[in-house]
Amino acid sequence: MLPELFLQRMKAQLGPEYEKFLKSLERPRAVALRMNPLKGDQIPDLPFLGNPVPWEPMGYYYDPEARPGLHVYHEAGVYYLQEASAMAPVSLLNPQPGERVCDLCAAPGGKTSQIAGRMLGEGFLLCNEINPKRAKILSRNMERMAVSNALVTNEHPANLAARFPGFFDRVLVDAPCSGEGMFRKEEAAVTDWSPETVEMCARRQGEILHSAAQMVRPGGRLVYSTCTFAPEEDEGAVAAFLAAHPEFTPETVDAPWFVPGENGSHRMWPHKLLGEGHFAAVLRKAEGESEEIPAGKEEKLPGEWTKFAKELGIHLPQGRPMLFGQTLWWVPAEMPDIKGLKVLRPGLELGIVKKDRFEPAHALALWLKTCTNTQNYPAESQEIRDYLHGEVIPGKVKGWCLVQAGGYSIGWGKGDGNQIKNHYPKGLRR
C-alpha cells in the first residue's frame, strides 16, 4: 500500500498520466546488469542476458529467474547487478579516461564502478561514502570490479571540499533521498516515507550540493541525481542550488530516454521505460582560474615486489607506489596527499611485503587479466566450485599462479607441480 499523501501528490504532479503511472507499478520489475570493461572487451556468452539497456552501452536486462549473482563471473567482477535507470546519471556525467572524477555519495558502488569502467583505469577517481558500514561495502566492490585508480574515503562532503577545492573535472552527487522511485523495489522505502522525510532529505541534499560545488574545477560538470519523484528534492533542490551558486548554469545534453524539464533537469518515469523512477540535472561551472593541488610524494618500490612482478610478468599502469605498514598499494599518479583523511582504499592493493618475499593481494588477482603463470578452468567446472569453497585443486603449475574461470581471473593459488594450494580469501568462500 502506497502512502495516501504520496498518491495525492503524484496525481497532481502527473495529471492525465497518473493512471498509467499506477499501472506501471503493478508490472514485474525489470532487472539489469552492467558488464565491466575493466575485465576485457568481449561480452561473455551468458544464457540469461537479454536486450541492451538503451542508455548504457554495457547494460543488459536479464532473466530474473537466472540469479546471476551466484555465477562465478559475478565473483570475478565481470558484471555488476544494477537497476537500469540507475545507470543513466553516469551517462549524463560522461567521464573520460585521464580525467579527475568524484562520486561524492558512492555506496554501494554501482555508479562508481560504472564511472571507473568509462575511465579505463586512467586518471583519478575519488569515491566517498559518509556511512562507515556502507563505505566498507563500497571498498569491497571496488576490489571486485578491478578498479585500480580509485581513492575510497569515509568522509563528510564538507571535509573533502576543503581538501579538494576546484580539483575535479566532473562530480556526481547521487544524493540520499526519500527513495520514491524505489517503492516497487524496496518495501522499507514505503514504510519510511513521510512528508517530513522529503523535507529532511531536501535540506541534506542542499548541504551536499554546496560541498560538491566547491570541488568542481572552473569549466567542469556537476551531475545531481536522485531516485525520487518529489519536486522538493529534484527541481526544487536544483533551483535552490542555482540561486545560491550563480557560477553554475544548466547544461543541455542529448538524453532521449529522459523527459526534459527546467534548469537542465531530466526525469525517467517507470510508465515510459523499462526501469524505475530517476531524476538528474546537468550543471556546468563557469570558466576561470583554479589552484593546482600537488600530487603526493613519490615512494620507492620494494625489491620483494620487483622480484615477484618480474617472475609473473606483471606490468602496472601509470601510478606510483604507496606503503601503509607492510601493505603495498599502487595509487593514481596525480592523487594529492591524503594524510588526515579516513581512507579505506587508496588505489590498487598489490600485497604484503615480508622479509625476502611478497604475498600478493586478492585485489591484484582480480585486476590482472593474465600473467606468465596462470591456471584456467571452465567456468562451470568442478575445479572452480572447489576453488570457491577453499579447497585444494589439481594443476601442473609451480609457485604463485593466477586462477581463472572461463578466462577471467578470480584469485591466487600456489602450485607444487601436482596441485594448487588455495589462496581464495576465507571471507569470500562459499
Side-chain angles (χ1 to χ4, degrees), residues 69-140:
L70 299 180
H71 197 284
V72 64
Y73 284 172
H74 181 268
E75 299 302 314
V78 178
Y79 52 78
Y80 191 103
L81 304 183
Q82 186 177 19
E83 198 279 313
S85 294
M87 301 178 191
V90 171
S91 295
L92 297 176
L93 188 70
N94 194 25
Q96 301 296 313
E99 291 185 330
R100 300 168 178 174
V101 184
C102 174
D103 186 354
L104 200 51
C105 312
K111 293 180 177 67
T112 293
S113 60
Q114 188 181 3
I115 291 170
R118 294 194 174 213
M119 295 177 73
L120 296 175
E122 300 175 18
F124 172 51
L125 172 59
L126 168 62
C127 45
N128 178 70
E129 173 56 44
I130 194 171
N131 182 293
K133 290 184 179 179
R134 286 170 55 82
K136 290 180 180 178
I137 296 171
L138 169 66
S139 182
R140 288 198 296 269

Side-chain angles (χ1 to χ4, degrees), residues 227-393:
C227 59
T228 191
F229 304 118
E232 300 95 321
E233 300 178 66
D234 294 342
E235 292 89 352
V238 174
F241 172 79
L242 290 173
H245 294 274
E247 72 275 21
F248 281 86
T249 55
E251 184 174 6
T252 302
V253 294
D254 183 23
W257 53 86
F258 275 106
V259 177
E262 58 189 24
N263 289 330
S265 65
H266 306 75
R267 281 188 178 274
M268 301 180 86
W269 294 102
H271 60 288
K272 293 180 179 290
L273 46 77
L274 280 177
E276 307 302 325
H278 233 81
F279 170 89
V282 185
L283 309 168
R284 178 71 70 175
K285 195 171 188 177
E287 295 286 351
E289 295 185 4
S290 60
E291 296 183 17
E292 276 300 313
I293 303 175
K297 67 177 182 178
E298 186 79 27
E299 298 182 24
K300 290 185 178 181
L301 276 169
E304 293 85 351
W305 160 261
T306 303
K307 180 182 178 182
F308 174 84
K310 185 177 180 180
E311 290 174 351
L312 274 75
I314 298 174
H315 301 282
L316 295 172
Q318 184 182 11
R320 69 176 196 268
M322 179 177 287
L323 199 60
F324 280 93
Q326 290 184 301
T327 304
L328 180 64
W329 298 81
W330 191 250
V331 306
E334 58 184 307
M335 186 175 76
D337 179 25
I338 57 174
K339 186 177 181 180
L341 291 176
K342 297 175 186 174
V343 174
L344 280 76
R345 182 174 295 272
L348 173 64
E349 185 181 2
L350 299 180
I352 304 296
V353 180
K354 295 195 174 182
K355 187 177 181 180
D356 299 327
R357 62 190 174 94
F358 186 82
E359 293 188 1
H362 183 59
L364 177 62
L366 293 175
W367 175 79
L368 284 169
K369 293 184 177 69
T370 187
C371 69
T372 56
N373 210 20
T374 62
Q375 189 74 42
N376 184 36
Y377 305 91
E380 305 291 346
S381 66
Q382 184 61 46
E383 289 88 350
I384 290 299
R385 285 192 288 272
D386 290 344
Y387 180 79
L388 295 178
H389 283 131
E391 299 172 20
V392 172
I393 55 176

